[in-house]
Amino acid sequence: MFSDQAVKEIVKRARAESIDPAALLAVAEVESAGRLTEDDGSTPRFLFERHVFYRNLKKLNNAALGQAVSAGLATQKWDRSVAYKDQGTSKGRLAVLAKARAIDEECANAACSWGLGQVLGENAKSLGYANATAMVSELTQGGVVAQVDSMLRFIKRNKLQPFLNLKDFAGFALKYNGPGYKQNCYDVRMAAAEKNWAKKLDAMAMEPGPEESQAPEQERVDELPPPYAEPKTPAKSKTIWTSILGFITSTFAALWTWWTALPFQEKALIIGSFVAIFLFLGFIVRERLKKIAEDYI
């Protein structure tokens, strides 16, 4: 489970990014159970995705694709029955990774979700890493600091902060884990974890860091601040626009979740209704313009 160092780093970075620390801790807990590494003590916690390995080999090393498929390491589509059958233990995961890396190291690293936030290696370049292998190297050498940074890079790039601060874990999970998030109850588990962490953080006292230790005694802060603190002197307009943006984002996410869950027939009926309404309104406007033109003439 979480080490004190991991908790402190997540709380510190969350506050620096104006994110609810309890919510960010909840994400890390659900994604990785707070474990930094596998049993070898160095490899960042990971999960290998066979369908992603297939996708990357087809794009970057098609010659090796057949070998990966024959070895049972690559599947065209995600299949629950085979996806994680040999990854129930750390030893099993490391063995699978070693076999995949022997075929193509970069594609293997891109096919894994890594670290505290379980960020998919396939996203490495979009998050500022040279490639997936460089990302894994940085997570390995940088420890908890690098792993928290990786999780935050993904959250910030996809503008997911409002979902966390509004406790909209369904909207967050849709963007973070994909449309299948409900199958694993990511939103429900995150919401429960956030409540537990909020209680823990309220009762927790953090040790002063190096900078605080050098400050005068009366300036040291031993108590942990509230889980999420608003800026002391927020600009009124900025606060209003942040609230509006958060409301729009969460509303859009909720509508998108509703829309993707609809059967095809219902989607077709709704689209057809909107088209009919649009055509009807267009007809009314055209007739009105004709009438105005006739009266003018």
Side-chain angles (χ1 to χ4, degrees), residues 6-81:
V7 173
K8 291 178 181 179
E9 182 63 23
I10 291 173
V11 170
K12 182 182 75 173
R13 290 298 307 277
R15 291 201 179 105
E17 300 294 343
S18 297
I19 297 174
D20 184 339
L24 191 60
L25 281 162
V27 173
E29 177 180 320
V30 171
E31 294 294 332
S32 65
R35 292 187 58 184
L36 289 174
T37 65
E38 295 296 338
D39 288 351
D40 62 359
S42 60
T43 305
R45 178 92 160 165
F46 74 93
L47 189 65
F48 180 76
E49 300 287 356
R50 284 171 161 82
H51 67 291
V52 181
F53 194 40
Y54 184 102
R55 183 166 67 218
N56 280 279
L57 284 173
K58 188 174 182 180
K59 179 173 59 177
L60 301 176
N61 188 357
N62 195 48
L65 182 58
Q67 181 184 352
V69 171
S70 298
L73 294 170
T75 56
Q76 190 168 2
K77 296 181 179 180
W78 184 83
D79 184 347
R80 182 181 291 276
S81 64

Side-chain angles (χ1 to χ4, degrees), residues 242-253:
T242 301
S243 300
I244 293 174
L245 177 61
F247 174 76
I248 293 174
T249 303
S250 59
T251 301
F252 178 79

Side-chain angles (χ1 to χ4, degrees), residues 2 44 71 111 120 141 146 149 163 173 175 195 211 251:
F2 282 103
L120 190 64
Q141 297 175 21
D149 179 67
F163 293 99
K175 297 287 187 179
K195 290 181 180 178
E211 295 181 0
T251 301

Side-chain angles (χ1 to χ4, degrees), residues 1-235:
M1 201 44 154
F2 282 103
S3 65
D4 289 343
Q5 182 188 11
V7 173
K8 291 178 181 179
E9 182 63 23
I10 291 173
V11 170
K12 182 182 75 173
R13 290 298 307 277
R15 291 201 179 105
E17 300 294 343
S18 297
I19 297 174
D20 184 339
L24 191 60
L25 281 162
V27 173
E29 177 180 320
V30 171
E31 294 294 332
S32 65
R35 292 187 58 184
L36 289 174
T37 65
E38 295 296 338
D39 288 351
D40 62 359
S42 60
T43 305
R45 178 92 160 165
F46 74 93
L47 189 65
F48 180 76
E49 300 287 356
R50 284 171 161 82
H51 67 291
V52 181
F53 194 40
Y54 184 102
R55 183 166 67 218
N56 280 279
L57 284 173
K58 188 174 182 180
K59 179 173 59 177
L60 301 176
N61 188 357
N62 195 48
L65 182 58
Q67 181 184 352
V69 171
S70 298
L73 294 170
T75 56
Q76 190 168 2
K77 296 181 179 180
W78 184 83
D79 184 347
R80 182 181 291 276
S81 64
V82 299
Y84 314 120
K85 62 180 182 180
D86 44 9
Q87 298 190 70
T89 65
S90 183
K91 181 179 179 180
R93 289 191 294 276
L94 288 168
V96 169
L97 180 61
K99 293 176 185 177
R101 281 175 168 173
I103 295 174
D104 188 300
E105 183 178 16
E106 173 62 18
C107 288
N109 289 332
C112 296
S113 52
W114 295 98
L116 283 173
Q118 288 294 283
V119 177
L120 190 64
E122 194 176 43
N123 294 313
K125 288 187 178 181
S126 70
L127 300 180
Y129 302 98
N131 51 38
T133 301
M135 172 181 159
V136 175
S137 177
E138 188 168 323
L139 297 183
T140 302
Q141 297 175 21
V144 62
V145 174
Q147 290 196 22
V148 175
D149 179 67
S150 177
M151 176 169 57
L152 282 169
R153 286 193 196 191
F154 186 87
I155 289 172
K156 291 192 293 182
R157 176 172 177 77
N158 292 280
K159 297 178 175 59
L160 301 180
Q161 303 96 310
F163 293 99
L164 292 178
N165 290 335
L166 291 169
K167 309 296 189 297
D168 179 7
F169 291 106
F172 177 85
L174 176 63
K175 297 287 187 179
Y176 198 89
N177 304 102
Y181 73 93
K182 288 185 178 180
Q183 296 179 20
N184 293 311
C185 299
Y186 280 113
D187 55 331
V188 176
R189 291 157 59 196
M190 286 179 188
E194 187 278 331
K195 290 181 180 178
N196 290 332
W197 277 111
K199 293 177 182 177
K200 290 179 182 179
L201 293 180
D202 281 341
M204 192 183 278
M206 302 286 278
E207 296 178 3
E211 295 181 0
E212 293 174 327
S213 298
Q214 297 173 9
E217 187 66 29
Q218 64 271 21
E219 294 183 6
R220 292 182 182 177
V221 179
D222 294 326
E223 292 185 2
L224 192 71
Y228 178 65
E230 292 288 346
K232 293 182 179 178
T233 56

